[in-house]
Amino acid sequence: MAITGVSTIEDYRTVYNPIEYVATSGITTYERFKYIFDVYDGATKIGTLKIPADPNTYGRADVQGIMESYLTKNLGTINTAATGVAFEDCNNSYKEFTIKVGEEYIPPLPAAQVLVQVLDQVTKTLITFNGCLPNYRDALNFVDYQVANKYLDYVDNSVTRKFLTNADAGSIGKGQKVELTDKGFTYLLNDHVSDAVTGYDISTYNSSGVIIAIYTINNTIGAAAKKMLLIPTAPDSINNIDTATYITGAPAQPLITSSVADYSITLRGVGAASETIWFTVDSECRYEVRRLEFLNSLGGFDTFNFTKVSRKSETIERKFYKQNADNMVAGVIDYSLADKVKTQYYTKSSPKIKLNSDNLSVDVYNWLLELIESPEIYLWENGERIAIQNITSDWEEKRADTDSVFNLEIELELGIDNYRQRG
């Protein structure tokens, strides 16, 4: 009896969650029976799992561990001149795999008692992307994603497509706060061939909420074949897009100027092809702004500014060895307070930075849990990314009906060490 695939695995799956396929066969009572789950990257087999049947004849395999090592991440290009691209393919953040299911067994007598393999009876192709949805979260958790197929289950050519962020989409005057010098990007899945992203609109508004202009930026990378994309959405990244990629407006850069109080981003296909996300241009503050970029649970990178006082510190690690003091001349010991019993031979300093946010809304504060638990964080400084090794903070969910004014304090440990000595 042939194998039948019975799982309902989605066409898109977050790679750091279980990726389980279930099959069944009618010959699981045969001696040494096992299901064979082969995982392919194109035509290349990259891994195999052999799974015995459970008491109900099913074979259940989680192939996530095979797939996750093939995905890394994509960071938006930091443009330094007005020649930047509007869309980038996140080809390191997603990959198409094929699961092929077969079986092996020793057939019953009078057949020859040799191990038989019948491969590739059921085939399932899916795309995994660099996300890790939590098992329990109000915004979007792994269980809900499986039921509703959220972030993919949208109506073509409509505003129901979501960006790969759990940040609040905002509204005019209540968007994500950015400064004119900020760089940053927003990520999206691009799976519907019938709803391919052809570009995106930038709508700018003055401080009175009156629209200044609408510009449409062309997607020049052939989006239908690309499954995950990123677009510039922070002011300085937008202002470095090559104006040749604009379909309408043909603006002279910079597009986002001091006269812009708010702007919005909407994907374009056949009409509007996504939700609208809003950004509010913040004035320069009295403290040095510390901007962080962090991998969120959906596989994209979000950004956030800490605008209150920040302080740098160093953690020093020293090692010593004991030595006899060189304080005897011609048999006479001359004791001195300057004599050393211990000599330092190893000195390492690890830089840290303590950051404080401005007062936050409940939604923003709760969203920043994704920053605190993120496995990959960068500090923006002088147009460069500095890797963060560790982040520490106390976090407790806030509620609008009981909490009022609050901010977030975190401490960053940079992913570098400085050495004065090495043993």
Side-chain angles (χ1 to χ4, degrees), residues 281 310 370:
V281 180
S310 61
E370 294 217 354

Side-chain angles (χ1 to χ4, degrees), residues 215-338:
Y215 304 102
T216 301
I217 304 174
N218 190 25
N219 181 359
T220 60
I221 67 169
K226 315 299 182 184
K227 300 302 182 182
M228 187 172 175
L229 308 172
L230 65 85
I231 58 175
T233 52
D236 193 57
S237 296
I238 291 173
N239 290 342
N240 280 312
I241 296 174
D242 187 350
T243 55
T245 66
Y246 282 74
I247 299 174
T248 62
Q253 292 285 25
L255 187 154
I256 309 297
T257 66
S258 57
S259 63
V260 175
D262 298 273
Y263 63 94
S264 65
I265 303 289
T266 308
L267 298 176
R268 301 296 298 180
V270 182
S274 76
E275 64 178 335
T276 297
I277 55 175
W278 288 84
F279 297 85
T280 296
V281 180
D282 206 5
S283 59
E284 298 290 336
C285 68
R286 57 180 290 192
Y287 302 109
E288 184 177 8
V289 175
R290 300 289 188 176
R291 186 164 176 80
L292 297 184
E293 181 179 35
F294 57 96
L295 182 66
N296 65 33
S297 62
L298 297 167
F301 279 83
D302 287 327
T303 47
F304 182 78
N305 288 346
F306 286 80
T307 58
K308 295 303 181 183
V309 64
S310 61
R311 301 184 187 277
K312 295 181 180 179
S313 63
E314 299 271 343
T315 299
I316 313 299
E317 180 184 353
R318 295 181 172 92
K319 295 181 181 180
F320 302 86
Y321 66 89
K322 280 191 173 184
Q323 68 174 22
N324 295 322
D326 185 14
N327 57 2
M328 186 172 70
V329 178
V332 178
I333 299 175
D334 182 14
Y335 292 105
S336 170
L337 293 176

Side-chain angles (χ1 to χ4, degrees), residues 191-206:
D191 67 306
H192 288 201
V193 175
S194 58
D195 191 22
V197 177
T198 60
Y200 70 101
D201 286 349
I202 302 175
S203 302
T204 58
Y205 299 80
N206 64 22

